[in-house]
């Protein structure tokens, strides 16, 4: 305590004033001088005890800050006693709590980045290894022409797959870190479904799948057109991939007082109860997943829809088929 320069000055001035006062009183009357000495000793004792208590509290705060700095959990040091020291305690607690929460968020972001990079690396390994093998085979000058064309075609397909994978992962990552600004425009449900179906019609024709589509012209929802079409496209694409040749895809729309709904049903093998809770997870492949399936389309659809006051749900029955319901919730006033 006495190491503090200001405290030393205060003590020195207090002692000097006390000596002068006691001397004057002693000259006037020695009895008054004795009383003055007793009062000075009592006041100085109170001052030292009070100051020492404040120093002990400040020392506890310094120890608390050191423990927070070293990474230990934040403790609640607030108290409800009035005074500047209590205000200081409450302010320090608020600051350390905020810093602790920011540190937790930074750690989570770092882990998310590490997981994303790990997922991308893992997904790229297989097609890259395959392309290296085929490139080595193409170096053989004696390779027959038909095999050369076959390998070139496979390399092109793998490159397209990598391009789609990287593009999708980048989109999904941008949405998950909330760096995408979704527009809020009035969208025709029927036009969105038609737009989502356009790139899929050739695939359906090649698989000889039947499409049944019915939707009223006057159904509208609010959202971002391009992103919402992509979400719908991925759900329909999933149904097409899991429906065998000659199967059927049914799309319908309906409106309730709470939401507008798109129902997409396929006649595929269905999704097992073990896979059902995980199908919207990134990179999850169910038992009936195709060879080329990556497991990112449904995860992206759910993320896009949930970012726009909408959601997608799944119902499935083994051997019968699967139904996806995309619900656009209406804003309640």
């Amino acid at each position: 305590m006495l190491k503090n320069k200001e405290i030393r000055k205060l003590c020195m001035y207090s002692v000097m004033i006390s000596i002068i006062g006691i001397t004057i009183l002693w000259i006037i009357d020695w009895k008054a001088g004795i009383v003055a000495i007793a009062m000075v000793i009592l006041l100085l004792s109170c001052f030292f005890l009070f100051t020492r208590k404040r120093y002990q509290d400040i020392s506890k705060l310094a120890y608390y800050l050191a423990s927070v700095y070293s990474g230990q959990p934040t403790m609640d040091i607030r108290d409800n006693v009035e005074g500047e020291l209590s205000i200081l305690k409450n302010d320090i607690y608020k600051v350390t709590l905020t810093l602790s929460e920011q540190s937790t968020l930074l750690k989570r972001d770092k882990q998310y980045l590490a997981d994303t990079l790990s997922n991308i690396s893992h997904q790229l390994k297989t097609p890259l290894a395959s392309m290296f093998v085929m490139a080595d085979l193409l170096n053989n000058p004696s390779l027959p022409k038909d095999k050369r064309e076959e390998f070139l075609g496979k390399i092109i397909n793998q490159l397209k797959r990598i391009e789609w994978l990287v593009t999708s992962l980048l989109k999904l990552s941008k949405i998950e870190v909330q760096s995408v600004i979704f527009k809020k425009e009035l969208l025709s449900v029927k036009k969105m479904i038609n737009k989502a179906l356009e790139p899929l019609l050739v695939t359906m024709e090649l698989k000889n799948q039947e499409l049944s589509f019915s939707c009223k012209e006057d159904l509208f929802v609010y959202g971002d057109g391009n992103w919402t079409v992509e979400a719908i496209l991925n759900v329909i694409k999933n149904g097409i991939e899991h429906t065998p040749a000659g199967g059927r895809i049914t799309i319908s729309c309906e409106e309730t007082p709470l939401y507008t709904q798109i129902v997409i049903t396929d006649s595929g093998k269905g999704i097992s109860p073990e896979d059902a809770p995980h199908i919207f997870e990134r990179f999850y492949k169910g038992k009936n997943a195709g060879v080329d399936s990556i497991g990112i389309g449904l995860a992206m659809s759910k993320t896009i829809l949930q970012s726009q006051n909408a959601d997608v749900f799944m119902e499935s029955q083994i051997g019968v088929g699967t139904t996806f319901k995309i619900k656009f919730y209406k804003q309640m006033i």
Side-chain angles (χ1 to χ4, degrees), residues 63-252:
Y63 177 77
Y64 168 75
L65 287 173
S67 67
V68 172
Y69 181 75
S70 63
Q72 294 186 22
T74 306
M75 295 182 293
D76 193 348
I77 59 170
R78 293 173 295 176
D79 59 38
N80 297 320
V81 181
E82 292 185 358
E84 67 274 13
L85 196 58
S86 295
I87 294 172
L88 180 61
K89 282 182 182 178
N90 294 338
D91 289 343
I92 288 176
Y93 173 71
K94 290 175 187 173
V95 172
T96 53
L97 187 64
T98 304
L99 291 174
S100 176
E101 290 175 350
Q102 288 177 348
S103 175
T104 303
L105 290 175
L106 284 174
K107 287 178 183 174
R108 192 182 67 183
D109 289 346
K110 283 183 179 178
Q111 186 60 45
Y112 173 77
L113 179 61
D115 292 343
T116 301
L117 291 176
S118 174
N119 287 334
I120 293 173
S121 172
H122 178 72
Q123 295 298 326
L124 290 179
K125 277 181 183 175
T126 304
L128 284 174
S130 174
M131 284 193 294
F132 274 122
V133 171
M134 285 185 281
D136 284 339
L137 293 172
L138 286 172
N139 275 332
N140 184 359
S142 61
L143 189 71
K145 184 181 177 183
D146 57 336
K147 282 291 180 185
R148 188 178 295 277
E149 291 176 351
E150 179 187 344
F151 291 150
L152 281 173
K154 287 183 178 178
I155 288 176
I156 291 172
N157 286 336
Q158 294 290 0
L159 285 172
K160 288 180 180 176
R161 188 183 179 206
I162 290 174
E163 182 188 23
W164 179 85
L165 173 63
V166 173
T167 305
S168 299
L169 282 172
L170 288 175
K171 287 179 182 175
L172 186 57
S173 299
K174 285 173 69 177
I175 297 170
E176 288 181 344
V177 298
Q178 299 179 347
S179 66
V180 174
I181 300 174
F182 289 97
K183 298 176 187 173
K184 199 168 185 180
E185 50 198 0
L186 191 62
L187 306 168
S188 164
V189 176
K190 187 170 185 177
K191 286 182 179 177
M192 282 198 300
I193 296 173
N194 277 324
K195 196 172 179 180
L197 279 169
E198 280 178 14
L200 303 173
L201 292 176
V202 175
T203 306
M204 293 185 69
E205 188 176 349
L206 291 174
K207 294 183 74 172
N208 195 28
Q209 292 174 338
E210 182 184 350
L211 173 65
S212 174
F213 175 32
S214 63
C215 187
K216 292 181 180 178
E217 298 279 354
D218 59 350
L219 282 184
F220 294 90
V221 295
Y222 282 96
D224 188 300
N226 292 330
W227 283 106
T228 309
V229 166
E230 179 143 5
I232 298 170
L233 184 150
N234 284 326
V235 176
I236 300 174
K237 184 169 174 279
N238 179 80
I240 293 171
E241 288 175 351
H242 290 83
T243 300
R248 180 184 179 89
I249 304 291
T250 304
I251 303 173
S252 62

Side-chain angles (χ1 to χ4, degrees), residues 4-51:
N4 190 318
K5 188 178 177 181
E6 294 179 351
I7 296 294
R8 285 205 306 271
K9 280 185 178 178
L10 180 62
C11 290
M12 185 178 68
Y13 291 140
S14 298
V15 170
M16 289 174 62
I17 293 170
S18 299
I19 292 172
I20 295 170
I22 290 170
T23 304
I24 294 171
L25 287 173
W26 192 277
I27 293 170
I28 296 172
D29 186 349
W30 65 272
K31 293 179 182 177
I34 291 174
V35 173
I37 291 171
M39 292 299 296
V40 167
I41 292 172
L42 187 62
L43 286 173
L44 288 176
S45 299
C46 290
F47 169 76
F48 277 107
L49 289 173
F50 178 76
T51 306

